[in-house]
Amino acid sequence: MAHVITQSCCSDAACVSVCPVNCIHPTPEERGFGSSDILHIDPVACIDCGACADACPVDAIYPADRLGERDKVFIEVNAAFYRDNPDISSGWSDIVYPVIPRLPDGLRVAVVGTGPSGGYAVRTLIGRTDADVTVIDRLPTPGGLVRAGVAPDHPGTKGVLRTFDLLYRDRRVHLLGGVEIGDGPSAVTPAELADHFDAVFYAVGAPDSRALGVPGEDLPGSTAATDLVAWYNAYPGAEGPPIPEDGVGRAVIVGTGNVALDVARILVSSPDALAATDIADRALALLERQDIREVVLLGRRGQADAAYTAAEFRALQELPGVDVIVADNLDGLGLDGPPVPERRRIVLLFHSAVEQISAGDRGQVRAVSVTTGDLTHDITTDVVVRSIGYRGVRLDGLPFDDARGVIPNADGRVISETGEAIPGVYALGWAARGAVGGIGANKAHAIATVEAFIDDAAAGRLPRTAHGPDDFRTLVQNRSPNLVRYRGVRSIDRAERARGQAVGRPRIKFTDVSDMLAVARRRR
């Protein structure tokens, strides 16, 4: 019985390298890698050895006969990939070992950011060099978008954090949480980082959202997917939309990418189902009271141009008790009034453009004007979520491309305003490429950027620091009032798990940094 890759797949591609018959595609070298939400096992070529399942960091791979009802759809998803891509073939493969050049002794590097890009950069640095690595995050809890962006009902995908946690225990890795990088009285500047390390990698993501540019976008009840996801994933300081408890029970999402589908799934899921996840208590309480029963996703173009992946859409169709409707016009959908109380549904409405967002008597969002074809209609709603893309934000002290929303770079090497590579400064993942591709694509970019660093180090192109190993830790000790080291991070993790275990949940996250610090600094 062949193995099957399910929706929890993070495209880490660790399975690709261990497969003896090269039957997992697309590989990092093939077209489609990074744009495909999951990898796929060729059911004809698979020899059922199980090596891929052992290597998977997120427990996404199972024998076909052991799949649950919700995941059986992925048997066809895996098989269809090979029918649709007949030029991709499987077969016995050879292992190619990388060339390891001679590097200078005593290299010291910093990685800013603990999301997937930063984590994979650390793993490659530890595996390919003898460098001493300092890992920095502005929060006391590492994980980046894996912790604060992956949907609560996809716990398997968060399993990749276990891989990174093992790295933080390495004697050459020093995790420093609660450290701000930028310009401020308690921040460490990029110039100071460059002065204290031989190389600095920026994996700071793309935390900002793109605007719709329509009237009413700033009304209470209109929010960005970035903010909503952060709110229900317990990101400290994130505020949820003011959803009225006596509303109509509908949400409108502008956009049809995977993030939009994630948000739709969370909003329409029953509160009982969400109560078994690590969703933030603040979100669970509001969603229980408001109980959204219908979500409408608006796509400007047709379904063939939608940004979601086939795997994400098929999984949406498997939601128990939720009807999924695809339409090109509003005829018969009844979106001008409240949804039917007895059912839950997700409506994907294509060829639709938002004209404006209007308020009700209380000054909050009450309707969205949408043009479909030649007609404009009002859709009544309690909340509007724009999910039309992420973009990076400027980090004071670093070059920034405002038009693209990225740190300008060539092969990961940060480029100055004069167009030259800044020696020893690198950018990773979404911060460098833009918000395109998932964990697997960011892993590939992180590895390639570390390879560029290795080339620079071997060629003597790095400016070596004159500071000693303890100088930077002394600096952040004096500069960062919220400093948390790895031992404190572990204390926070144990406390969150214990809070969850008490009520039958995987964890209950802290949403206040002060609570995290109190736990991290508690005497053990």
Side-chain angles (χ1 to χ4, degrees):
M1 179 66 67
H3 279 61
V4 176
I5 298 179
T6 64
Q7 190 181 13
S8 297
C9 175
C10 66
S11 298
D12 169 275
C15 55
V16 172
S17 60
V18 300
C19 177
V21 293
N22 188 33
C23 74
I24 304 176
H25 300 271
T27 69
E29 297 77 28
E30 293 174 334
R31 60 176 172 78
F33 183 84
S35 60
S36 173
D37 197 37
I38 69 171
L39 305 184
H40 311 81
I41 294 176
D42 185 341
V44 176
C46 177
I47 61 174
D48 199 27
C49 67
C52 55
D54 293 337
C56 180
V58 295
D59 298 326
I61 306 177
Y62 297 91
D65 59 354
R66 288 183 51 200
L67 293 173
E69 286 300 319
R70 276 189 64 177
D71 285 334
K72 285 183 179 178
V73 65
F74 290 99
I75 297 175
E76 170 59 19
V77 170
N78 280 241
F81 176 81
Y82 292 92
R83 289 198 302 271
D84 297 340
N85 297 274
D87 56 316
I88 291 180
S89 60
S90 304
W92 294 93
S93 58
D94 297 324
I95 298 175
V96 178
Y97 294 96
V99 176
I100 303 179
R102 173 75 179 180
L103 300 182
D105 293 330
L107 285 172
R108 296 179 52 247
V109 303
V111 177
V112 181
T114 59
S117 298
Y120 284 117
V122 173
R123 190 169 84 171
T124 309
L125 286 164
I126 293 300
R128 294 287 315 278
T129 77
D130 291 326
D132 190 82
V133 184
T134 296
V135 186
I136 301 166
D137 199 285
R138 63 185 298 270
L139 290 179
T141 49
L145 272 183
V146 179
R147 176 180 167 97
V150 173
D153 60 346
H154 283 175
T157 307
K158 300 181 184 184
V160 73
L161 292 181
R162 293 193 296 267
T163 301
F164 302 152
D165 183 69
L166 292 174
L167 298 173
Y168 302 144
R169 305 180 194 184
D170 190 286
R171 62 180 179 80
R172 289 188 285 135
V173 177
H174 315 282
L175 178 62
L176 302 176
V179 178
E180 289 277 357
I181 303 298
D183 183 19
S186 62
V188 176
T189 67
E192 289 173 320
L193 283 178
D195 186 41
H196 281 80
F197 294 96
D198 301 314
V200 184
F201 295 82
Y202 290 93
V204 292
D208 205 1
S209 61
R210 300 186 184 278
L212 288 171
V214 300
E217 186 173 6
D218 296 327
L219 285 171
S222 172
T223 187
T226 50
D227 297 332
L228 187 63
V229 169
W231 171 68
Y232 65 58
N233 270 321
Y235 191 87
E239 297 183 359
I243 305 175
E245 295 183 24
D246 57 349
V248 297
R250 179 185 292 122
V252 171
I253 301 174
V254 184
T256 55
N258 283 348
V259 173
L261 266 62
D262 274 349
V263 173
R265 194 179 61 253
I266 293 299
L267 290 178
V268 83
S269 292
S270 71
D272 288 343
L274 294 175
T277 73
D278 68 352
I279 190 171
D281 279 356
R282 62 193 181 193
L284 182 60
L286 178 57
L287 293 176
E288 282 178 337
R289 294 194 304 269
Q290 209 283 332
D291 194 19
I292 290 175
R293 298 179 301 281
E294 183 170 276
V295 178
V296 180
L297 295 98
L298 303 176
R300 179 177 288 273
R301 293 180 291 179
Q303 186 178 14
D305 300 307
Y308 59 70
T309 59
E312 190 76 19
F313 180 68
R314 292 194 189 193
L316 194 72
Q317 293 175 306
E318 298 298 314
L319 280 176
V322 178
D323 297 327
V324 178
I325 298 171
V326 178
D328 290 315
N329 57 69
L330 287 87
D331 293 346
L333 294 178
L335 300 181
D336 54 344
V340 177
E342 302 82 43
R343 71 184 181 200
R344 293 179 181 271
R345 69 174 184 171
I346 295 174
V347 178
L348 291 95
L349 182 60
F350 292 100
H351 299 294
S352 298
V354 176
E355 302 297 338
Q356 69 173 19
I357 302 169
S358 54
D361 295 339
R362 303 175 187 174
Q364 294 187 208
V365 165
R366 201 57 178 169
V368 181
S369 295
V370 177
T371 296
T372 304
D374 296 328
L375 300 176
T376 299
H377 303 266
D378 283 346
I379 300 175
T380 56
T381 185
D382 301 319
V383 61
V384 177
V385 183
R386 63 182 182 276
S387 183
I388 54 175
Y390 292 68
R391 57 175 281 121
V393 296
R394 180 181 294 276
L395 188 62
D396 290 333
L398 280 183
F400 190 71
D401 184 336
D402 282 301
R404 297 178 55 220
V406 299
I407 299 172
N409 69 98
D411 298 324
R413 299 177 177 93
V414 174
I415 301 299
S416 70
E417 294 179 358
T418 60
E420 300 174 343
I422 302 175
V425 184
Y426 305 87
L428 304 170
W430 281 8
R433 302 185 301 110
V436 179
I439 291 175
N442 285 328
K443 176 188 178 182
H445 189 263
I447 293 173
T449 303
V450 173
E451 295 289 352
F453 155 77
I454 290 173
D455 289 344
D456 292 344
R461 291 191 289 264
L462 297 181
R464 301 300 302 273
T465 179
H467 287 279
D470 295 328
D471 289 351
F472 182 71
R473 275 166 269 178
T474 300
L475 171 67
V476 296
Q477 184 74 48
N478 296 329
R479 188 78 59 82
S480 305
N482 295 342
L483 180 64
V484 174
R485 302 181 190 274
Y486 179 70
R487 190 176 178 183
V489 169
R490 292 291 294 165
S491 295
I492 296 170
D493 178 66
R494 286 193 297 268
E496 290 184 340
R497 291 180 183 276
R499 280 154 49 100
Q501 186 178 16
V503 293
R505 297 175 62 189
R507 73 169 65 229
I508 295 179
K509 297 176 184 175
F510 294 107
T511 57
D512 194 304
V513 169
S514 63
D515 292 334
M516 297 179 187
L517 295 177
V519 172
R521 295 168 180 170
R522 187 179 300 156
R523 289 183 179 273
R524 290 168 294 278

Short mmCIF file of all heavy atoms in Angstrom, two decimals, residues 436-484:
data_model
loop_
_atom_site.label_atom_id
_atom_site.label_comp_id
_atom_site.label_asym_id
_atom_site.label_seq_id
_atom_site.Cartn_x
_atom_site.Cartn_y
_atom_site.Cartn_z
N VAL A 436 5.61 35.05 -1.12
CA VAL A 436 5.24 34.03 -2.10
C VAL A 436 5.82 32.70 -1.65
O VAL A 436 7.00 32.62 -1.31
CB VAL A 436 5.77 34.38 -3.50
CG1 VAL A 436 5.39 33.29 -4.49
CG2 VAL A 436 5.22 35.73 -3.96
N GLY A 437 5.00 31.64 -1.67
CA GLY A 437 5.50 30.33 -1.29
C GLY A 437 5.42 30.10 0.20
O GLY A 437 5.35 31.04 1.00
N GLY A 438 5.42 28.83 0.58
CA GLY A 438 5.29 28.46 1.98
C GLY A 438 6.60 28.03 2.61
O GLY A 438 7.69 28.48 2.22
N ILE A 439 6.48 27.12 3.57
CA ILE A 439 7.64 26.70 4.36
C ILE A 439 8.72 26.10 3.47
O ILE A 439 9.90 26.37 3.63
CB ILE A 439 7.19 25.72 5.45
CG1 ILE A 439 6.35 26.45 6.50
CG2 ILE A 439 8.40 25.06 6.12
CD1 ILE A 439 5.77 25.56 7.57
N GLY A 440 8.31 25.26 2.52
CA GLY A 440 9.30 24.61 1.67
C GLY A 440 10.09 25.59 0.83
O GLY A 440 11.31 25.46 0.68
N ALA A 441 9.41 26.58 0.26
CA ALA A 441 10.10 27.58 -0.56
C ALA A 441 11.05 28.41 0.29
O ALA A 441 12.16 28.76 -0.15
CB ALA A 441 9.08 28.49 -1.25
N ASN A 442 10.65 28.72 1.52
CA ASN A 442 11.52 29.48 2.40
C ASN A 442 12.72 28.66 2.85
O ASN A 442 13.82 29.19 3.04
CB ASN A 442 10.73 29.98 3.61
CG ASN A 442 9.83 31.14 3.26
OD1 ASN A 442 10.14 31.95 2.39
ND2 ASN A 442 8.69 31.24 3.92
N LYS A 443 12.51 27.35 3.02
CA LYS A 443 13.64 26.48 3.34
C LYS A 443 14.67 26.52 2.22
O LYS A 443 15.88 26.67 2.46
CB LYS A 443 13.16 25.05 3.56
CG LYS A 443 14.29 24.06 3.80
CD LYS A 443 13.80 22.64 3.83
CE LYS A 443 14.94 21.65 4.03
NZ LYS A 443 14.49 20.24 4.01
N ALA A 444 14.20 26.36 0.97
CA ALA A 444 15.12 26.36 -0.17
C ALA A 444 15.88 27.67 -0.27
O ALA A 444 17.09 27.68 -0.54
CB ALA A 444 14.33 26.10 -1.45
N HIS A 445 15.19 28.79 -0.02
CA HIS A 445 15.87 30.09 -0.10
C HIS A 445 16.87 30.26 1.03
O HIS A 445 17.97 30.80 0.82
CB HIS A 445 14.84 31.22 -0.06
CG HIS A 445 15.45 32.56 -0.35
ND1 HIS A 445 15.83 33.43 0.65
CD2 HIS A 445 15.76 33.17 -1.53
CE1 HIS A 445 16.33 34.53 0.10
NE2 HIS A 445 16.30 34.39 -1.21
N ALA A 446 16.52 29.78 2.22
CA ALA A 446 17.44 29.87 3.35
C ALA A 446 18.72 29.08 3.07
O ALA A 446 19.84 29.55 3.33
CB ALA A 446 16.76 29.36 4.62
N ILE A 447 18.56 27.87 2.54
CA ILE A 447 19.73 27.04 2.25
C ILE A 447 20.61 27.71 1.19
O ILE A 447 21.84 27.78 1.32
CB ILE A 447 19.29 25.64 1.78
CG1 ILE A 447 18.63 24.89 2.94
CG2 ILE A 447 20.47 24.85 1.24
CD1 ILE A 447 17.99 23.57 2.54
N ALA A 448 19.97 28.24 0.13
CA ALA A 448 20.73 28.89 -0.94
C ALA A 448 21.48 30.11 -0.42
O ALA A 448 22.62 30.39 -0.83
CB ALA A 448 19.80 29.28 -2.08
N THR A 449 20.85 30.86 0.50
CA THR A 449 21.50 32.05 1.03
C THR A 449 22.67 31.69 1.93
O THR A 449 23.72 32.35 1.91
CB THR A 449 20.48 32.92 1.78
OG1 THR A 449 19.40 33.26 0.91
CG2 THR A 449 21.11 34.20 2.30
N VAL A 450 22.51 30.64 2.72
CA VAL A 450 23.64 30.18 3.54
C VAL A 450 24.78 29.70 2.64
O VAL A 450 25.96 29.91 2.95
CB VAL A 450 23.21 29.08 4.52
CG1 VAL A 450 24.42 28.49 5.24
CG2 VAL A 450 22.23 29.64 5.55
N GLU A 451 24.46 29.07 1.51
CA GLU A 451 25.50 28.67 0.56
C GLU A 451 26.24 29.90 0.03
O GLU A 451 27.46 29.87 -0.16
CB GLU A 451 24.87 27.89 -0.61
CG GLU A 451 24.24 26.57 -0.22
CD GLU A 451 25.25 25.51 0.15
OE1 GLU A 451 26.46 25.74 -0.04
OE2 GLU A 451 24.84 24.44 0.63
N ALA A 452 25.49 31.00 -0.22
CA ALA A 452 26.15 32.24 -0.65
C ALA A 452 27.08 32.76 0.43
O ALA A 452 28.20 33.23 0.14
CB ALA A 452 25.09 33.29 -1.01
N PHE A 453 26.64 32.68 1.69
CA PHE A 453 27.49 33.07 2.82
C PHE A 453 28.76 32.22 2.87
O PHE A 453 29.87 32.73 3.09
CB PHE A 453 26.70 32.95 4.12
CG PHE A 453 27.54 32.74 5.34
CD1 PHE A 453 28.23 33.79 5.93
CD2 PHE A 453 27.67 31.47 5.91
CE1 PHE A 453 29.02 33.59 7.05
CE2 PHE A 453 28.44 31.26 7.03
CZ PHE A 453 29.13 32.32 7.60
N ILE A 454 28.62 30.91 2.67
CA ILE A 454 29.78 30.01 2.70
C ILE A 454 30.77 30.39 1.60
O ILE A 454 31.99 30.43 1.82
CB ILE A 454 29.32 28.54 2.57
CG1 ILE A 454 28.58 28.12 3.84
CG2 ILE A 454 30.50 27.62 2.30
CD1 ILE A 454 27.93 26.74 3.75
N ASP A 455 30.25 30.70 0.42
CA ASP A 455 31.12 31.13 -0.67
C ASP A 455 31.87 32.41 -0.29
O ASP A 455 33.07 32.55 -0.55
CB ASP A 455 30.30 31.38 -1.94
CG ASP A 455 29.80 30.09 -2.57
OD1 ASP A 455 30.31 29.01 -2.21
OD2 ASP A 455 28.87 30.17 -3.40
N ASP A 456 31.14 33.36 0.31
CA ASP A 456 31.76 34.62 0.71
C ASP A 456 32.82 34.41 1.78
O ASP A 456 33.90 35.02 1.76
CB ASP A 456 30.71 35.60 1.22
CG ASP A 456 29.77 36.07 0.12
OD1 ASP A 456 30.10 35.91 -1.07
OD2 ASP A 456 28.68 36.58 0.46
N ALA A 457 32.51 33.53 2.74
CA ALA A 457 33.47 33.26 3.81
C ALA A 457 34.73 32.60 3.27
O ALA A 457 35.86 32.96 3.64
CB ALA A 457 32.82 32.38 4.88
N ALA A 458 34.55 31.62 2.37
CA ALA A 458 35.69 30.91 1.81
C ALA A 458 36.56 31.83 0.96
O ALA A 458 37.78 31.65 0.88
CB ALA A 458 35.21 29.73 0.98
N ALA A 459 35.92 32.82 0.32
CA ALA A 459 36.66 33.74 -0.56
C ALA A 459 37.23 34.94 0.19
O ALA A 459 37.85 35.81 -0.42
CB ALA A 459 35.74 34.23 -1.67
N GLY A 460 37.01 35.02 1.51
CA GLY A 460 37.55 36.11 2.30
C GLY A 460 36.81 37.42 2.13
O GLY A 460 37.39 38.50 2.33
N ARG A 461 35.53 37.35 1.74
CA ARG A 461 34.76 38.57 1.51
C ARG A 461 34.00 39.07 2.74
O ARG A 461 33.27 40.06 2.65
CB ARG A 461 33.76 38.34 0.36
CG ARG A 461 34.43 38.18 -1.00
CD ARG A 461 33.40 38.23 -2.12
NE ARG A 461 32.58 37.03 -2.16
CZ ARG A 461 32.83 35.98 -2.93
NH1 ARG A 461 33.91 35.97 -3.72
NH2 ARG A 461 32.03 34.94 -2.94
N LEU A 462 34.15 38.42 3.89
CA LEU A 462 33.43 38.83 5.09
C LEU A 462 34.28 39.77 5.94
O LEU A 462 35.46 39.51 6.17
CB LEU A 462 33.05 37.62 5.93
CG LEU A 462 32.10 36.60 5.32
CD1 LEU A 462 31.83 35.47 6.32
CD2 LEU A 462 30.79 37.24 4.90
N PRO A 463 33.68 40.86 6.45
CA PRO A 463 34.40 41.71 7.40
C PRO A 463 34.39 41.05 8.77
O PRO A 463 33.33 40.85 9.37
CB PRO A 463 33.58 43.02 7.39
CG PRO A 463 32.19 42.57 7.02
CD PRO A 463 32.33 41.37 6.14
N ARG A 464 35.53 40.66 9.30
CA ARG A 464 35.59 39.95 10.58
C ARG A 464 35.41 40.92 11.75
O ARG A 464 35.99 42.01 11.77
CB ARG A 464 36.91 39.19 10.72
CG ARG A 464 37.18 38.16 9.63
CD ARG A 464 36.09 37.10 9.59
NE ARG A 464 35.94 36.38 10.83
CZ ARG A 464 36.62 35.29 11.18
NH1 ARG A 464 37.53 34.79 10.34
NH2 ARG A 464 36.40 34.69 12.33
N THR A 465 34.63 40.53 12.72
CA THR A 465 34.38 41.36 13.89
C THR A 465 35.58 41.36 14.84
O THR A 465 36.28 40.35 14.96
CB THR A 465 33.13 40.90 14.65
OG1 THR A 465 32.94 41.72 15.81
CG2 THR A 465 33.27 39.44 15.11
N ALA A 466 35.78 42.49 15.50
CA ALA A 466 36.84 42.59 16.50
C ALA A 466 36.34 42.27 17.90
O ALA A 466 37.11 42.21 18.85
CB ALA A 466 37.44 44.00 16.47
N HIS A 467 35.01 42.05 18.03
CA HIS A 467 34.43 41.78 19.34
C HIS A 467 34.59 40.33 19.74
O HIS A 467 34.66 39.43 18.88
CB HIS A 467 32.94 42.13 19.35
CG HIS A 467 32.69 43.62 19.34
ND1 HIS A 467 32.76 44.39 20.47
CD2 HIS A 467 32.38 44.46 18.32
CE1 HIS A 467 32.48 45.65 20.17
NE2 HIS A 467 32.27 45.72 18.86
N GLY A 468 34.60 40.09 21.04
CA GLY A 468 34.68 38.74 21.56
C GLY A 468 33.31 38.10 21.64
O GLY A 468 32.28 38.76 21.48
N PRO A 469 33.26 36.77 21.92
CA PRO A 469 31.99 36.03 21.92
C PRO A 469 30.96 36.55 22.91
O PRO A 469 29.76 36.43 22.66
CB PRO A 469 32.45 34.61 22.28
CG PRO A 469 33.88 34.55 21.89
CD PRO A 469 34.42 35.91 22.14
N ASP A 470 31.40 37.10 24.04
CA ASP A 470 30.44 37.52 25.07
C ASP A 470 30.01 38.98 24.94
O ASP A 470 29.10 39.42 25.67
CB ASP A 470 31.03 37.29 26.46
CG ASP A 470 31.27 35.82 26.76
OD1 ASP A 470 30.48 35.00 26.26
OD2 ASP A 470 32.22 35.51 27.48
N ASP A 471 30.61 39.73 24.05
CA ASP A 471 30.33 41.16 23.99
C ASP A 471 28.88 41.46 23.61
O ASP A 471 28.26 42.36 24.18
CB ASP A 471 31.28 41.84 22.99
CG ASP A 471 32.71 41.90 23.49
OD1 ASP A 471 32.93 41.57 24.68
OD2 ASP A 471 33.61 42.25 22.71
N PHE A 472 28.36 40.72 22.64
CA PHE A 472 26.99 41.00 22.21
C PHE A 472 26.00 40.62 23.30
O PHE A 472 25.01 41.33 23.53
CB PHE A 472 26.65 40.26 20.92
CG PHE A 472 25.25 40.57 20.42
CD1 PHE A 472 24.96 41.82 19.88
CD2 PHE A 472 24.24 39.65 20.53
CE1 PHE A 472 23.69 42.12 19.43
CE2 PHE A 472 22.96 39.93 20.08
CZ PHE A 472 22.68 41.17 19.53
N ARG A 473 26.24 39.51 23.96
CA ARG A 473 25.32 39.11 25.03
C ARG A 473 25.33 40.13 26.16
O ARG A 473 24.30 40.38 26.79
CB ARG A 473 25.69 37.71 25.54
CG ARG A 473 25.06 36.60 24.70
CD ARG A 473 25.69 35.26 24.97
NE ARG A 473 26.81 35.02 24.05
CZ ARG A 473 27.56 33.95 24.07
NH1 ARG A 473 27.36 33.01 24.98
NH2 ARG A 473 28.53 33.79 23.20
N THR A 474 26.46 40.74 26.42
CA THR A 474 26.51 41.82 27.41
C THR A 474 25.71 43.03 26.93
O THR A 474 24.99 43.67 27.71
CB THR A 474 27.97 42.23 27.67
OG1 THR A 474 28.70 41.11 28.15
CG2 THR A 474 28.04 43.36 28.68
N LEU A 475 25.83 43.34 25.64
CA LEU A 475 25.08 44.47 25.07
C LEU A 475 23.58 44.27 25.23
O LEU A 475 22.88 45.19 25.72
CB LEU A 475 25.44 44.62 23.59
CG LEU A 475 24.59 45.62 22.79
CD1 LEU A 475 24.83 47.05 23.27
CD2 LEU A 475 24.89 45.51 21.29
N VAL A 476 23.05 43.11 24.84
CA VAL A 476 21.60 42.92 24.92
C VAL A 476 21.14 42.79 26.37
O VAL A 476 20.00 43.14 26.70
CB VAL A 476 21.14 41.70 24.10
CG1 VAL A 476 21.40 41.92 22.62
CG2 VAL A 476 21.80 40.42 24.58
N GLN A 477 22.01 42.29 27.24
CA GLN A 477 21.65 42.21 28.65
C GLN A 477 21.39 43.61 29.22
O GLN A 477 20.46 43.82 30.01
CB GLN A 477 22.78 41.54 29.44
CG GLN A 477 22.46 41.31 30.91
CD GLN A 477 21.47 40.19 31.14
OE1 GLN A 477 21.62 39.11 30.57
NE2 GLN A 477 20.45 40.45 31.93
N ASN A 478 22.16 44.58 28.78
CA ASN A 478 22.01 45.96 29.26
C ASN A 478 20.95 46.73 28.48
O ASN A 478 20.38 47.69 29.00
CB ASN A 478 23.35 46.70 29.15
CG ASN A 478 24.41 46.12 30.06
OD1 ASN A 478 24.10 45.60 31.13
ND2 ASN A 478 25.67 46.19 29.63
N ARG A 479 20.67 46.30 27.25
CA ARG A 479 19.79 47.05 26.36
C ARG A 479 18.35 46.54 26.36
O ARG A 479 17.42 47.32 26.19
CB ARG A 479 20.36 46.98 24.94
CG ARG A 479 19.65 47.87 23.91
CD ARG A 479 20.08 49.31 24.02
NE ARG A 479 21.49 49.50 23.84
CZ ARG A 479 22.12 49.59 22.65
NH1 ARG A 479 21.43 49.49 21.53
NH2 ARG A 479 23.41 49.79 22.58
N SER A 480 18.15 45.25 26.54
CA SER A 480 16.84 44.62 26.31
C SER A 480 16.19 44.21 27.63
O SER A 480 16.56 43.19 28.23
CB SER A 480 16.99 43.39 25.41
OG SER A 480 17.63 43.72 24.20
N PRO A 481 15.20 44.98 28.10
CA PRO A 481 14.56 44.65 29.39
C PRO A 481 13.76 43.35 29.35
O PRO A 481 13.51 42.75 30.40
CB PRO A 481 13.63 45.85 29.64
CG PRO A 481 13.37 46.41 28.28
CD PRO A 481 14.63 46.19 27.50
N ASN A 482 13.35 42.89 28.16
CA ASN A 482 12.54 41.67 28.04
C ASN A 482 13.35 40.46 27.60
O ASN A 482 12.79 39.48 27.09
CB ASN A 482 11.39 41.89 27.05
CG ASN A 482 10.40 42.93 27.53
OD1 ASN A 482 10.34 43.25 28.72
ND2 ASN A 482 9.62 43.47 26.62
N LEU A 483 14.65 40.50 27.81
CA LEU A 483 15.52 39.43 27.34
C LEU A 483 15.14 38.08 27.97
O LEU A 483 14.97 37.96 29.18
CB LEU A 483 16.97 39.75 27.68
CG LEU A 483 18.01 38.71 27.25
CD1 LEU A 483 18.06 38.60 25.74
CD2 LEU A 483 19.39 39.08 27.81
N VAL A 484 14.98 37.07 27.10
CA VAL A 484 14.69 35.71 27.53
C VAL A 484 15.62 34.77 26.79
O VAL A 484 15.72 34.81 25.57
CB VAL A 484 13.22 35.33 27.23
CG1 VAL A 484 12.97 33.85 27.55
CG2 VAL A 484 12.26 36.20 28.02
#
